[in-house]
Amino acid sequence: MSRTTPPTELSDAEISRLKRIGQRRGRRNPAKVPARLARTSAFAPKRRGLITDTNYDRLYVVPGHSIVRVAGRELGSQHRDALYAVFRLEHETVVLPDPNSAVHRSRYLRVTTTWRELLTSMGLTPHVNNVTALHYTFEDIKKVVVTVYEGDHMKLLEQHKQGKLPRSPGRMGNMLHDVEWEGLQLDSRVVLHYGEWSANMVFSAKLVSLNADVHFALASDYAKSYWPYIDSMRNHTWVDEERLAQLAGRDLWGPHESASTRRDFRSKSRKAFDDMVRAGGLKSWRVEVRGVGRHKSHRYHYEHALNSQMALPLQPPPDDAASHPASRRANAA
């Protein structure tokens, strides 16, 4: 929600959306995250061993939700956390004239804060060492160009594998435009501008409201990959392991996976669901084994511990209280 009255360059519809976002969240100090960045595998479920090569280029696909290309370096859990902390803080709208046009203007969202407030919002100890780590995390994010595509994910993947530019609508940009700071002390002033792409997601109300308290309380990097999707899908009470693998940037039945790596993935997933219960996001969960033989799959049923997610654009939620009653039972193991 903006601290100031939106400028006259915004249309009445845009002003109405911004007010609606701010007034009907239903969560205590949530992170207001672009849906494409909540339901994505663009952030690897790890903090170490990330690929830092500037030639890094990968297409991340979560069918039906996001097709995101990341170029510049690999992003991990710490980068997702830093962005969610920024999205969680209040912002103001800034409209800047385009020096090359007398008509066009660029709109940014500016967050004015301190290192202490950023660390506190992430549940981290306010310490100068954490300030330094967060500074380098923002530096990493600035190196990355994100492209979000629209269209058939199978065709886009095939074109990408052939080394061709996907022939579909898309938008390229940085998640953060500028990061300025007066110093690296805890109470030093920090000013961050959303990238134009991120700002446009806010102005068009393509947002989801995530319970950031739960997210930052999670210890498992796999849980950090799953929770934004689970918390943003307000009417769902189960998720298949194929979708969880997509959120973690993996293909369970692809050439790089084996029976051993699948067992390891399922072990990490069980620990992730336990972590979501410990953090207060879920009341309970259980796993259902589906099919027989080598290609049997797992479905994770869960009961959300929090109020229903308010997705945008806002629609009256259907009555799904009776859906998947079996999901109300926990896995005691």
Side-chain angles (χ1 to χ4, degrees), residues 95-114:
V95 181
L96 301 176
D98 186 337
N100 301 315
S101 171
V103 179
H104 295 97
R105 288 177 166 81
S106 297
R107 295 178 298 178
Y108 296 96
L109 298 181
R110 180 170 62 201
V111 174
T112 302
T113 182
T114 63

Side-chain angles (χ1 to χ4, degrees), residues 6-291:
T8 55
E9 285 82 357
L10 296 182
S11 69
D12 291 341
E14 288 169 328
I15 293 172
S16 176
R17 288 192 197 104
L18 289 176
K19 289 181 179 178
R20 187 174 64 203
I21 293 167
Q23 295 170 358
R24 300 182 65 182
R25 275 291 156 189
R27 299 295 179 90
R28 182 174 64 84
N29 193 19
K32 300 170 282 292
V33 182
R36 293 287 192 262
L37 291 184
R39 303 162 187 167
T40 185
S41 54
F43 303 93
K46 58 183 179 179
R47 295 175 178 273
R48 297 177 178 82
L50 296 167
I51 301 171
T52 59
D53 188 343
T54 55
N55 293 320
Y56 181 84
D57 188 329
R58 181 174 171 184
L59 196 67
Y60 294 90
V61 179
V62 179
H65 294 283
S66 64
I67 307 171
V68 178
R69 179 186 175 194
V70 173
R73 60 155 293 145
E74 187 177 26
L75 297 174
S77 296
Q78 67 269 41
H79 303 102
R80 187 200 294 263
D81 286 354
L83 282 169
Y84 282 14
V86 175
F87 291 143
R88 191 179 193 186
L89 299 177
E90 290 187 4
H91 61 253
E92 58 183 335
T93 304
V94 180
V95 181
L96 301 176
D98 186 337
N100 301 315
S101 171
V103 179
H104 295 97
R105 288 177 166 81
S106 297
R107 295 178 298 178
Y108 296 96
L109 298 181
R110 180 170 62 201
V111 174
T112 302
T113 182
T114 63
W115 295 112
R116 184 188 300 276
E117 186 178 23
L118 283 166
L119 292 172
T120 300
S121 72
M122 298 167 69
L124 296 177
T125 303
H127 191 280
V128 290
N129 288 348
N130 285 335
V131 170
T132 303
L134 185 56
H135 165 275
Y136 284 120
T137 298
F138 284 136
E139 185 178 281
D140 291 342
I141 294 170
K142 283 283 294 173
K143 297 175 183 177
V144 172
V145 175
V146 174
T147 306
V148 177
Y149 294 104
E150 307 290 341
D152 186 300
H153 74 276
M154 294 300 293
K155 291 181 180 179
L156 288 169
L157 274 175
E158 186 61 33
Q159 292 164 4
H160 186 71
K161 289 177 181 177
Q162 295 173 1
K164 301 177 182 178
L165 285 175
R167 301 185 184 93
S168 72
R171 188 175 187 90
M172 178 189 299
N174 299 103
M175 290 177 283
L176 292 178
H177 177 63
D178 280 327
V179 182
E180 306 169 27
W181 59 93
E182 294 179 346
L184 295 178
Q185 300 304 310
L186 285 169
D187 294 312
S188 298
R189 181 171 175 264
V190 184
V191 180
L192 307 103
H193 290 79
Y194 288 21
E196 192 171 2
W197 174 82
S198 303
N200 281 329
M201 292 295 102
V202 175
F203 287 122
S204 63
K206 295 179 180 178
L207 302 173
V208 292
S209 171
L210 299 182
N211 188 296
D213 287 334
V214 170
H215 179 85
F216 290 122
L218 295 170
S220 161
D221 288 324
Y222 273 76
K224 286 180 179 287
S225 292
Y226 302 162
W227 172 250
Y229 178 89
I230 287 173
D231 195 37
S232 70
M233 303 298 287
R234 59 192 171 101
N235 295 324
H236 289 206
T237 58
W238 55 263
V239 60
D240 284 326
E241 67 176 352
E242 287 80 7
R243 176 51 47 87
L244 296 178
Q246 292 160 1
L247 292 168
R250 300 175 62 164
D251 177 1
L252 274 189
W253 304 103
H256 300 295
E257 299 281 356
S258 64
S260 175
T261 61
R262 281 189 288 273
R263 282 195 300 271
D264 179 68
F265 170 76
R266 286 162 180 162
S267 174
K268 288 183 170 68
S269 293
R270 290 192 295 271
K271 291 176 182 177
F273 275 85
D274 283 340
D275 196 23
M276 286 184 272
V277 172
R278 180 199 58 78
L282 301 180
K283 288 184 179 179
S284 61
W285 68 276
R286 70 176 182 89
V287 64
E288 172 192 1
V289 179
R290 297 163 59 83

